[in-house]
């Protein structure tokens, strides 16, 4: 996959894409809440080694590795960005779960559309792969066996009816979001909302480490400094939108 397509998938300018591994080097969970996901899955009491999981948009393995480590599940992660996958494989080895995870470079939508009979599909911090929430669930359920489970780590609007921020155009209020989640007849087993204070603390920490990386990269590549600072500002602006207009939530669904 070329750099331009990778940049589009990651929501950054093409000139920034090669520097993302360093810009985001201090952030493992890219927009997801791994511990909450493990806690949601634990009560299901699924058989560890026999539970097959598809995680499209797996990033650096921040969700799949704890799921494999704590629950014993078998993880297949798919992502477009090779540097993130390299880190995921290294972290899996460090965590002692390299035999339970497989991280592949590829298109996450294609991985879902290929279908399958996975016991669980996890979409964490990736956004809508089907244009909206209902379309995304439809894609997830295509990869999951009847009676299997789906995790969607995303959010909903708390203020305006619509927002135009890139990547959040599909967000709707809570009632509309739950209606979209269940449109195909699937059951919401549990919903977990992330407290706003926790979201703000998470964002503040990430913005601090990004600022540090921007300064270091700008010193080494002064010709790129405006692009780095534009990236930093875009991250700050996105966090403002998240904190002021949305709520973070994770839904555990069971496919009919």
């Amino acid at each position: 996959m070329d750099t331009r397509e990778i940049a589009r998938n990651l929501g950054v300018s093409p000139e920034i894409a090669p520097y993302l591994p360093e810009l985001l080097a201090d952030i493992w969970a890219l927009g997801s809440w791994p511990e909450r996901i493990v806690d949601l899955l634990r009560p299901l009491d699924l058989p560890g080694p026999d539970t097959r999981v598809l995680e499209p948009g797996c990033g650096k393995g921040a969700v799949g590795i704890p799921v494999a480590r704590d629950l014993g599940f078998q993880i297949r992660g798919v992502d477009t960005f090779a540097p993130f996958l390299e880190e995921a494989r290294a972290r899996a080895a460090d965590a002692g779960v390299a035999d339970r995870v497989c991280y592949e470079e590829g298109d996450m939508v294609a991985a879902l559309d290929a279908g399958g009979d996975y016991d669980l599909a996890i979409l964490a911090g990736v956004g809508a792969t089907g244009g909206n929430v209902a379309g995304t669930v439809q894609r997830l359920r295509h990869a999951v066996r009847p009676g299997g489970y789906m995790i969607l780590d995303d959010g909903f609007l708390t203020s305006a009816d619509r927002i135009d921020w890139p990547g959040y155009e599909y967000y709707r209020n809570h009632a509309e979001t739950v209606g979209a989640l269940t449109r195909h007849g699937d059951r919401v087993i549990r919903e977990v909302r992330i407290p706003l204070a926790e979201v703000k603390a998470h964002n503040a920490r990430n913005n601090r480490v990004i600022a540090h990386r921007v300064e270091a990269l700008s010193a080494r590549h002064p010709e790129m400094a405006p692009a780095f600072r534009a990236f930093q500002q875009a991250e700050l602006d996105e966090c403002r939108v998240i904190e002021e207009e949305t709520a973070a939530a994770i839904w555990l669904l069971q496919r009919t």
Side-chain angles (χ1 to χ4, degrees):
M1 187 172 291
D2 65 32
T3 300
R4 187 169 297 276
E5 188 171 355
I6 288 170
R8 184 169 60 253
N9 289 343
L10 295 173
V12 299
S13 64
E15 61 184 343
I16 284 292
Y19 299 95
L20 276 179
E22 185 167 350
L23 284 166
L24 303 177
D26 307 300
I27 303 171
W28 188 25
L30 301 168
S32 61
W33 304 91
E35 298 85 1
R36 294 311 212 303
I37 291 174
V38 171
D39 289 344
L40 272 174
L41 294 172
R42 200 184 301 277
L44 299 178
D45 201 27
L46 292 167
D50 296 324
T51 298
R52 298 171 58 247
V53 181
L54 176 65
E55 187 191 0
C58 61
K60 301 180 179 184
V63 173
I65 290 171
V67 169
R69 181 193 63 215
D70 297 348
L71 303 176
F73 297 172
Q74 301 290 324
I75 311 293
R76 179 192 171 208
V78 180
D79 204 282
T80 59
F81 200 45
F84 287 173
L85 292 168
E86 291 170 11
E87 182 171 342
R89 295 181 189 114
R91 285 179 177 270
D94 290 343
V97 296
D99 60 332
R100 285 177 242 160
V101 301
C102 174
Y103 287 119
E104 305 171 10
E105 185 175 354
D107 183 79
M108 66 177 184
V109 171
L112 287 167
D113 289 348
D117 60 349
Y118 289 92
D119 302 293
L120 169 68
I122 299 174
L123 197 67
V126 176
T129 66
N132 54 41
V133 172
T136 298
V137 172
Q138 186 172 33
R139 275 210 157 102
L140 287 172
R141 70 197 313 274
H142 186 58
V144 174
R145 62 171 172 80
Y149 300 93
M150 299 168 282
I151 287 275
L152 187 62
D153 182 345
D154 208 330
F156 58 89
L157 291 179
T158 56
S159 54
D161 291 334
R162 302 285 188 273
I163 55 175
D164 295 327
W165 190 264
Y168 295 86
E169 300 93 339
Y170 67 94
Y171 267 40
R172 298 295 182 265
N173 65 37
H174 182 261
E176 290 178 282
T177 301
V178 172
L181 288 168
T182 56
R183 187 164 300 166
H184 307 290
D186 305 308
R187 182 167 65 101
V188 175
I189 295 177
R190 192 176 167 200
E191 173 187 291
V192 172
R193 300 189 193 185
I194 311 301
L196 179 58
E198 190 171 341
V199 172
K200 287 184 174 181
H202 176 82
N203 289 344
R205 185 264 176 194
N206 287 352
N207 286 323
R208 282 195 301 272
V209 297
I210 287 173
H212 175 76
R213 293 289 178 173
V214 163
E215 290 305 313
L217 277 165
S218 296
R220 298 205 311 272
H221 306 280
E223 75 286 357
M224 287 291 297
F228 295 145
R229 293 199 164 86
F231 170 81
Q232 180 184 359
Q233 187 60 53
E235 292 295 302
L236 289 167
D237 292 342
E238 181 177 2
C239 288
R240 177 188 54 77
V241 170
I242 290 170
E243 294 168 10
E244 294 180 0
E245 303 192 48
T246 77
I250 310 169
W251 291 278
L252 171 62
L253 309 175
Q254 185 170 30
R255 186 192 161 186
T256 54

